């Protein structure tokens, strides 16, 4: 490769939902991003149907949340029943999430992608090129070059036109989905995590408002496990396990689909917009980084959709990688910071994947005797509740050993409503996303000059509940209650909303920030003194 090559800070392959979040996040940080997507436009059909409060905060951070709220549906419960309508498990979705949003929402993915795409298009430093497929990757010491082939989707399949181009970036982000070419060209294998079931996925556009006694959840019927969900306010999904002996072509035919959903829907009430068979798998890339190439989303991990966390995990990858790339691209942090991408994200995703697989096995029990035993185990309380949602356990996290650190480090930080001279609203909207130092009082003015330099270098936003620098009014008491619960003087939250660490009640800020500079491998002369 070489010759007539366009240059970017970041070349990104793939413009699915995870790539859209990544492009918008990097664009908001001012980086020149060249996105290359093999299809001519956005994929028009839904896959993901659920997002949680953390992902909503991520969408908020890139300016996409308002538009997607138009159709999102706040769902309060995810239920699991057997074929006799007896409840096996209820997953509570009724609470207010710590991220400033309701715990869980059901969505229609094409509407969400419209909102994400618009957020990307508002970034002048991001150029999205549709109809280009990555076919080659080459790396040097401080660059990575991607060869692209132009293609069009035709009735007979995807056809390459023969046009080629090369682009070069300081880094390459592979957001190119389950069959990632960036991953395979980097020689990275996927490690199977043990699940492989085929399900028929059918989606409908409602012609009128519809309400069922059981609207959102799994029906664990061993004769044919299934589930049904609202996809936002205007669409519905019904999924059915493909059983031994089913003919995949026959089961996707409209007649067969209408007969499967006849208990709930008629063609007068809804329009069938697609029926397709997916293989639900679980796998994780054995490496998420190869030199200057980094993987995010389905390119890095796959999980069955029983927890609705596949895309959400990818959004977490994108938000996390963007702030790290920002520090490295700006010359503030060492390139080695990017090694923490997999160190932090893979255990988190693996834990969620294991939960999704365990729940998938509950649903996909087709032996009636085993299903009856499963039901009895749930009824008698012998099934342990799902484990708590994972936290970050390693990576850019404080080493402090005090009680406040133990309480909050690696967990999601809060977002509440604040008031400042700039106005009142959700904190990220009022003071901006990024590093946030939440404190009971002004602890910055008394800190060492080096500490203050580092905070400035990282553009840390202050949420000080007391008098002095960074004072904000804690309108709903969110932050005061949070600091009380943690018994912390202050908490430092990363740009991806995870808590880096806490300042214990009797500590100065300097220890926390010294450690942060080391963990980030900060390079600025100002912070090396
Ligand atoms: C039935 C079902 C239900 C689901 N439900 C949920 C849910 O409720 N919640 C949830 O969070 N997740 C859910 N998921 C998972 C979710 O859909 C995926 O995790 C998510 O779509 C992955 O997004 P992505 O951007 O990483 O990959 P993709 O959406 O696959 O996007 C990758 C993009 O890269 C492009 N591309 C691929 N190769 C190349 C190349 N060589 N050159 C250029 N471009 C390329 C593709 O065209 C595509 O646009 C569900 C999945 C399924 C199948």
């Amino acid at each position: 490769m070489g010759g007539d090559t366009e240059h970017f800070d970041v070349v990104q392959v793939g413009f699915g939902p995870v790539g859209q979040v990544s492009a918008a996040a990097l664009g908001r940080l001012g980086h020149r991003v060249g996105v290359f997507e093999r299809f001519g436009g956005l994929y028009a059909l839904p896959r993901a149907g659920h997002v949680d409060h953390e992902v909503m905060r991520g969408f908020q951070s890139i300016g996409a949340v308002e538009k997607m709220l138009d159709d999102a549906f706040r769902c309060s419960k995810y239920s699991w029943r057997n074929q006799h309508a007896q409840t096996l498990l209820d997953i509570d979705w009724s609470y207010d999430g710590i991220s400033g949003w309701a715990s869980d929402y059901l969505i229609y993915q094409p509407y969400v992608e419209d909102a994400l795409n618009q957020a990307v298009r508002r970034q002048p430093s991001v150029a999205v090129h549709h109809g280009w497929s990555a076919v080659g990757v080459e790396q040097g010491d401080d660059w990575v070059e991607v060869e692209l082939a132009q293609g069009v989707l035709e009735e007979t399949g995807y056809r390459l036109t023969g046009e080629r181009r090369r682009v070069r970036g300081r880094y390459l982000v592979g957001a190119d989905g389950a069959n990632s070419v960036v991953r395979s060209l980097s020689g990275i294998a996927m490690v199977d995590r043990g699940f492989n079931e085929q399900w028929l996925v059918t989606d409908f556009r409602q012609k009128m408002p519809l309400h069922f006694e059981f609207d959102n959840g799994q029906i664990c019927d061993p004769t044919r496990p299934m589930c049904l969900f609202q996809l936002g306010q205007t669409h519905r999904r019904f999924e059915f396990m493909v059983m031994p002996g089913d003919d995949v072509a026959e089961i996707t035919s409209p007649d067969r689909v209408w007969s499967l959903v006849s208990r709930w829907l008629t063609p007068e009430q809804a329009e069938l917009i697609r029926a397709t068979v997916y293989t639900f798998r679980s796998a994780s890339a054995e490496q998420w980084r190869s030199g200057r190439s980094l993987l995010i989303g389905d390119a890095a991990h796959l999980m069955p959709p029983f927890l609705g966390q596949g895309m959400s995990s990818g959004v977490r990858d994108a938000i996390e990688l963007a702030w790290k790339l920002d520090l490295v691209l700006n010359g503030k942090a060492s390139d080695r910071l990017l090694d923490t991408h997999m160190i932090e994200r893979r255990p988190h995703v693996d834990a969620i994947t294991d939960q999704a697989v365990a729940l998938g096995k509950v649903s996909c029990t087709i032996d009636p005797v085993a299903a009856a035993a499963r039901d009895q185990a749930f009824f008698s309380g012998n099934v342990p509740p799902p484990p708590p949602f994972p936290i970050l356990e390693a990576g850019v996290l404080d080493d402090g050993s005090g009680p406040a650190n133990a309480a909050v480090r690696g967990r999601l930080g809060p977002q509440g409503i604040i008031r400042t001279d700039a106005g009142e609203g959700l904190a990220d909207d009022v003071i901006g996303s990024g590093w946030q130092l939440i404190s009971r009082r002004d602890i910055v003015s008394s800190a060492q000059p080096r500490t203050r330099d580092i905070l400035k270098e990282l553009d840390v936003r202050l949420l000080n509940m007391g008098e002095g620098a960074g004072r904000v009014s804690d309108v709903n008491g969110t932050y005061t209650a949070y600091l009380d619960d943690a018994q912390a003087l202050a908490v430092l939250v990363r740009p991806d909303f995870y808590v880096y660490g806490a300042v214990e009640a009797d500590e100065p800020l300097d220890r926390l920030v010294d450690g942060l500079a080391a963990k980030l491998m900060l390079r600025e002369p100002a912070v090396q003194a």
Side-chain angles (χ1 to χ4, degrees), residues 414-420 427 431 436-444 461-484 488-491 493:
Q415 179 178 216
I417 296 182
I418 59 167
R419 190 181 320 113
T420 71
I431 60 163
Q436 293 182 348
L437 182 67
I438 304 164
S439 63
R440 288 181 189 279
R441 54 181 166 78
D442 173 17
I443 53 171
V444 175
R461 320 284 157 115
L462 304 181
L463 289 116
N464 166 20
M465 306 303 130
E467 296 300 324
R471 174 170 171 71
V472 302
S473 188
D474 183 13
V475 174
N476 292 345
T478 304
Y479 294 103
T480 310
Y482 177 80
L483 292 170
D484 284 350
L489 176 56
V491 166
V493 184

Side-chain angles (χ1 to χ4, degrees), residues 13-19 36-39 47-51 109 132-134 175-179 181 201 237 239 278 280 296-299 305 308-313:
V13 177
F15 198 57
V18 173
F36 298 88
E37 161 60 46
R38 73 181 156 154
F39 288 142
R47 284 88 76 213
H50 160 261
V51 295
Q109 187 174 345
W132 291 94
S133 220
D176 49 345
N179 300 314
V181 164
V201 176
R237 169 166 295 166
E239 296 178 20
Y278 280 96
F280 295 158
I296 57 174
D298 276 18
Q309 281 288 339
M311 178 184 76
S312 301
S313 296

Side-chain angles (χ1 to χ4, degrees), residues 39 57 60 71 90 99 108 115 134 139 143 199-200 291 353 358 381 393-394 396 437 479 497 528:
F39 288 142
R57 191 174 181 186
Q60 179 193 359
D71 184 67
D90 276 333
S99 310
Y108 182 60
Q139 298 205 25
W143 53 266
W199 279 61
L200 168 68
T353 304
E393 305 274 8
V396 183
L437 182 67
Y479 294 103
F497 325 125
Q528 288 179 353

Side-chain angles (χ1 to χ4, degrees), residues 233-441:
Q233 301 188 23
T234 46
H235 292 77
R236 291 260 166 189
R237 169 166 295 166
F238 293 81
E239 296 178 20
F240 302 90
M241 188 166 165
V242 176
M243 302 296 281
D246 276 338
D247 173 349
V248 167
E250 191 268 341
I251 204 172
T252 52
S253 69
D255 285 351
R256 187 67 199 284
V257 171
W258 281 112
S259 89
L260 282 166
V261 300
S262 58
R263 253 175 76 189
W264 294 274
L265 286 184
T266 65
E268 287 68 44
Q269 294 172 313
E271 175 195 356
L272 173 63
I273 56 174
R274 71 100 162 257
T276 194
V277 168
Y278 280 96
T279 301
F280 295 158
R281 295 191 288 139
S282 74
S284 180
E286 62 178 1
Q287 294 298 328
W288 291 25
R289 174 179 191 185
S290 168
R292 299 206 150 235
S293 302
L294 294 126
L295 301 178
I296 57 174
D298 276 18
H301 45 77
L302 296 171
M303 68 180 73
F306 296 97
L307 265 180
Q309 281 288 339
M311 178 184 76
S312 301
S313 296
V315 170
R316 291 185 189 100
D317 301 341
I319 300 278
E320 171 260 355
L321 185 60
W323 72 258
K324 291 179 180 169
L325 274 171
D326 177 55
L327 288 177
V328 174
L329 287 166
N330 285 337
K332 294 183 180 178
S334 157
D335 159 273
R336 283 180 295 132
L337 175 62
L338 301 176
D339 291 340
T340 63
H341 173 51
M342 182 173 99
I343 291 170
E344 292 187 354
R345 294 288 315 133
R346 190 162 77 175
H348 195 268
V349 176
D350 284 354
I352 296 172
T353 304
D354 290 348
Q355 286 184 32
V357 168
L359 284 171
K361 287 179 179 164
V362 169
S363 180
C364 297
T365 304
I366 57 172
D367 171 3
V369 176
R374 170 202 64 197
D375 294 358
Q376 276 315 312
F378 274 105
F379 299 150
S380 58
N382 285 337
V383 179
F389 208 70
I391 64 172
L392 295 188
E393 305 274 8
V396 183
L397 298 174
D398 185 34
D399 291 326
S401 55
N405 254 300
V408 295
R409 178 182 46 217
R411 297 178 186 278
L412 285 171
Q415 179 178 216
I417 296 182
I418 59 167
R419 190 181 320 113
T420 71
D421 292 345
E424 180 177 315
L426 282 168
D428 295 357
D429 293 337
V430 176
I431 60 163
S433 300
W435 293 90
Q436 293 182 348
L437 182 67
I438 304 164
S439 63
R440 288 181 189 279
R441 54 181 166 78

Side-chain angles (χ1 to χ4, degrees), residues 181-194:
V181 164
V182 172
R183 187 183 68 226
S184 56
L185 289 172
S186 304
I188 298 174
M190 284 298 257
V191 180
D192 183 67
R193 293 187 67 81

Side-chain angles (χ1 to χ4, degrees), residues 103-123:
S103 65
D104 296 87
Y105 296 82
L106 298 179
I107 50 128
Y108 182 60
Q109 187 174 345
Y111 292 166
V112 170
E113 290 200 32
D114 275 349
L116 297 175
N117 185 36
Q118 285 185 22
V120 174
R121 305 298 165 151
R122 284 196 295 273
Q123 301 309 318

